[in-house]
Amino acid sequence: TMPTMPRCDSVHPPGLQKQLRTIPNCRDLGGYATADGRAVTQEGVVFRSAKLDLAVGDCKTFIADNIRTIVDLRDPNERREALGKAKLQRVEEHGHEHADDVYELFEEMADKEHGDGADKDKKIQPKKRRFVNVSLANDKGMRKEIWRRASWFQRIAFLVLYFVCCMKKRATFVLVSVLDAIGLFGLNKVIITKCGEQIAKVLGIIADPANQPVLFHCTHGKDRTGLISALVLHVCGVDRKTIVRDYAITASLVPAEYLSSMDKFSLNAEWYQTPAHVMEKSLAFIDEQYGSIDAYLDSIGFDAKARDRLRKTMLREKKRG
């Protein structure tokens, strides 16, 4: 059976595999009872986590052996910059033999031809592995929305810094200030309304048995990952209180130093947290704008048939007695 990864039942779950201790907020979406009490989400099928950039040694090998599909929710530019910094950190802390990241190992194994005796002891055969990058961060629609919300002064400042002064990073800070003002709930609203196609793609990947076990993540495994987790658990019939709790506990599972990458943007304190009210308001927003979460999922292309497929692969009948 699939080695057990932690759920959000405690800050330091006793079932956490030693190989995964270097990955903050890595946990299994299995073990949650449905609202009617008849079924429970299966363990070992779908996992959520923070970025895997710093995974080394046994942890990296463990992921390659036990996860079939990795879905990275970061923007390609965000991902490329983070991986570059992580490589330097891995080499500095563990030596040059750890220069390659888990994604390189994953893609290499996915493409590698193997003979009769190769990888017989592996949980997941090399050619069955898959890596997918689906951005929920820098989608064209999101950039347009941030631009729409920017003041004329912010727009002029961005254009001057970017095109006249060639100070692209400084220009980015201008747009980040707009995002900061939007807040976590505002970010979720933008993702919900502007990234429906990407959300449907991620949910479709998760629902396909050929891709399981699936692990999806963003940078810290809290906002973009939290929204996808909420939708997966909703489709499975988990009650809203539990869904909100799954999101809220993330703040206790991600070390403060892991969030230090946001310090350079001078964001307000909320961005370092996962307040329950953010997910409550986000789900309520979907209800208000679309009538229900199921109606929203219909509108983005993850219809009743797709949702039923996800339930069939993720749910098992709850044991009685």
Side-chain angles (χ1 to χ4, degrees), residues 1-231:
T1 59
M2 176 72 188
T4 302
M5 293 191 199
R7 295 202 320 277
C8 65
D9 291 355
S10 63
V11 175
H12 302 291
L16 179 61
Q17 294 291 315
K18 65 179 181 179
Q19 298 96 327
L20 299 172
R21 294 183 191 275
T22 57
I23 305 174
N25 198 22
C26 184
R27 59 192 197 259
D28 196 332
L29 285 186
Y32 291 117
T34 56
D36 60 15
R38 296 180 181 179
V40 64
T41 54
Q42 294 195 75
E43 296 181 348
V45 178
V46 180
F47 304 91
R48 56 173 292 176
S49 79
K51 61 185 179 182
L52 308 176
D53 302 10
L54 296 177
V56 296
D58 290 345
C59 177
K60 184 167 69 171
T61 303
F62 184 87
I63 293 169
D65 288 349
N66 294 283
I67 298 296
R68 189 181 301 275
T69 306
I70 295 175
V71 182
D72 191 336
L73 304 176
R74 294 177 292 180
D75 170 74
N77 292 327
E78 173 192 10
R79 179 175 182 269
R80 193 178 304 113
E81 181 180 352
L83 287 176
K85 292 179 179 178
K87 181 175 182 177
L88 294 176
Q89 185 175 339
R90 287 195 310 274
V91 171
E92 182 179 337
E93 295 179 359
H94 304 283
H96 287 280
E97 64 270 26
H98 296 287
D100 292 345
D101 58 55
V102 68
Y103 308 101
E104 292 173 296
L105 175 65
F106 216 86
E107 292 164 338
E108 174 190 332
M109 286 187 165
D111 294 334
K112 184 177 66 176
E113 293 292 342
H114 53 287
D116 294 337
D119 295 282
K120 282 187 175 180
D121 295 329
K122 301 297 184 184
K123 182 78 174 178
I124 304 297
Q125 289 298 310
K127 289 183 72 64
K128 297 297 184 181
R129 297 189 179 99
R130 183 184 182 196
F131 168 76
V132 188
N133 188 194
V134 184
S135 172
L136 291 189
N138 200 23
D139 176 74
K140 189 175 181 180
M142 178 176 287
R143 293 198 301 270
K144 285 183 177 180
E145 183 65 15
I146 291 175
W147 186 257
R148 186 185 70 82
R149 293 175 182 238
S151 66
W152 281 106
F153 175 80
Q154 289 171 318
R155 293 180 185 181
I156 293 171
F158 173 81
L159 293 172
V160 170
L161 287 169
Y162 195 93
F163 293 105
V164 179
C165 301
C166 296
M167 302 171 69
K168 294 183 179 181
K169 287 189 176 181
R170 288 286 298 276
T172 300
F173 276 70
V174 175
L175 298 185
V176 169
S177 68
V178 179
L179 187 63
D180 186 36
I182 292 174
L184 289 178
F185 172 49
L187 172 65
N188 278 353
K189 287 199 293 184
V190 174
I191 293 175
I192 289 164
T193 57
K194 303 299 181 181
C195 299
E197 180 181 347
Q198 290 74 22
I199 290 173
K201 181 176 181 179
V202 174
L203 294 176
I205 292 170
I206 293 171
D208 188 344
N211 295 324
Q212 299 166 351
V214 180
L215 185 150
F216 62 93
H217 72 87
C218 50
T219 296
H220 305 115
K222 69 186 196 73
D223 303 316
R224 290 163 286 186
T225 297
L227 186 58
I228 294 296
S229 295
L231 294 174

